Amino acid sequence: MDWLTDAKIPVGKWAASVFDWLQTHGGWFFDGLALGLETMIDAILWVLQSPPPLLVIAVMAGLTFWMQRSWKIAAFIAVGFLFIVNQGYWEETTESLTLVMTACIVCMGLGVPIGIAAAHRPRLYAVLRPVLDLMQTLPTFVYLIPAIVFFGIGMVPGLIATVVFVLPAPIRLTYLGVSATPQPLLEAARAFGATNRQVLYKVELPYAVPQIMTGLNQTIMLSLSMVVIAALVGADGLGVPVVRALNQVNTALGFESGFVIVVLAIMLDRALQRKIKS
């Protein structure tokens, strides 16, 4: 088998060459992107951390009640956040929420338009499908290497790795929702003289709302699952105490911080669950 390994295809060298070229010629783009993302992250952090925690919790519970029209879910959100404050993880939780919210803004802002375009252009989706498969199956730790090369250490590389891992979900679900619009609805809209834009906004998108909201839910859950991995590149949040517990073999700290992550995930899921079903 030596003859086969001697003719090894230099996949790693090709990838390194591409990254080196991007770093040399695209530094201005990555610097600008990092500045924009850092500004967004700092703004969300300021909103979550500047007011007293109890005020933020009250606002979160109020927003949940407004979306769900259920005082039970709103009370659950309030109790969950109070538990997090009681455990001393409020600052880490707001940092993780910032990462999740920023990832949602970026992923939904990119994923929904791309999914709509793919639903209207089958050839585009045929090209996107293997790329999306690669993004979802490639080990997430691999994303951290170019993220560190291009953006250094901190919240931005953790956010970039999260976006690359999460982005296929809103693209696929938006594509599924738009492409599944019944043909009789489309034909009826066009028979009444609707333009392509009107068909999109008044027929296809309303029909695809449940799938798009499911994509938002998946974006939130997958982003939250990346907080520990993002902590490995210097991102703040709930992943930091988990990594610290792993390094120190501290069972108490690991279970405590891990349980807080679980509580936060359940709260976010419940806050959006009924909205998705509607």
Side-chain angles (χ1 to χ4, degrees), residues 5-271:
T5 56
D6 290 340
K8 178 181 177 180
I9 301 174
V11 176
K13 292 182 179 179
W14 291 344
S17 299
V18 172
F19 290 136
D20 290 340
W21 186 89
L22 290 174
Q23 189 177 15
T24 302
H25 297 86
W28 59 272
F29 170 77
F30 295 113
D31 292 341
L33 180 60
L35 179 61
L37 293 176
E38 285 176 357
T39 302
M40 186 185 304
I41 290 171
D42 291 341
I44 297 175
L45 271 177
W46 183 84
V47 170
L48 292 177
Q49 293 185 346
S50 294
L54 292 180
L55 177 59
V56 177
I57 293 173
V59 172
M60 293 287 190
L63 288 174
T64 302
F65 180 79
W66 176 74
M67 291 189 300
Q68 304 292 343
R69 302 300 181 188
S70 171
W71 66 267
K72 293 181 180 179
I73 299 178
F76 173 75
I77 297 299
V79 171
F81 276 120
L82 289 174
F83 170 78
I84 291 173
V85 173
N86 172 263
Q87 295 297 301
Y89 286 93
W90 176 251
E91 183 176 352
E92 291 84 355
T93 299
T94 55
E95 291 166 347
S96 292
L97 278 174
T98 298
L99 180 65
V100 171
M101 293 171 66
T102 309
C104 286
I105 293 172
V106 176
C107 289
M108 297 304 291
L110 294 175
V112 172
I114 294 175
I116 293 172
H120 291 157
R121 298 169 179 82
R123 290 184 180 179
L124 174 60
Y125 186 69
V127 174
L128 283 176
R129 184 184 299 174
V131 177
L132 298 177
D133 292 340
L134 178 65
M135 293 169 66
Q136 286 187 309
T137 56
L138 196 67
T140 52
F141 288 97
V142 177
Y143 300 142
L144 301 181
I145 301 172
I148 294 173
V149 171
F150 295 140
F151 302 101
I153 300 295
M155 291 286 281
V156 173
L159 174 62
I160 295 297
T162 301
V163 168
V164 174
F165 175 68
V166 174
L167 186 57
I171 293 177
R172 289 184 186 276
L173 287 167
T174 301
Y175 164 82
L176 179 63
V178 174
S179 61
T181 305
Q183 284 298 320
L185 287 179
L186 299 176
E187 292 172 359
R190 294 192 175 97
F192 280 99
T195 64
N196 291 335
R197 183 183 297 271
Q198 289 172 331
V199 170
L200 173 63
Y201 286 106
K202 296 185 178 182
V203 179
E204 292 178 329
L205 285 182
Y207 188 85
V209 163
Q211 293 291 346
I212 293 175
M213 292 302 298
T214 302
L216 175 60
N217 179 269
Q218 290 299 303
T219 298
I220 292 174
M221 294 297 106
L222 291 173
S223 298
L224 194 58
S225 72
M226 288 288 290
V227 296
V228 176
I229 296 176
L232 298 176
V233 293
D236 298 323
L238 292 170
V240 175
V242 174
V243 173
R244 188 184 307 122
L246 179 62
N247 292 333
Q248 298 173 356
V249 197
N250 189 330
T251 305
L253 178 61
F255 182 83
E256 185 179 82
S257 54
F259 190 71
V260 169
I261 294 175
V262 171
V263 170
L264 181 60
I266 294 174
M267 288 193 299
L268 293 175
D269 181 67
R270 295 298 182 272

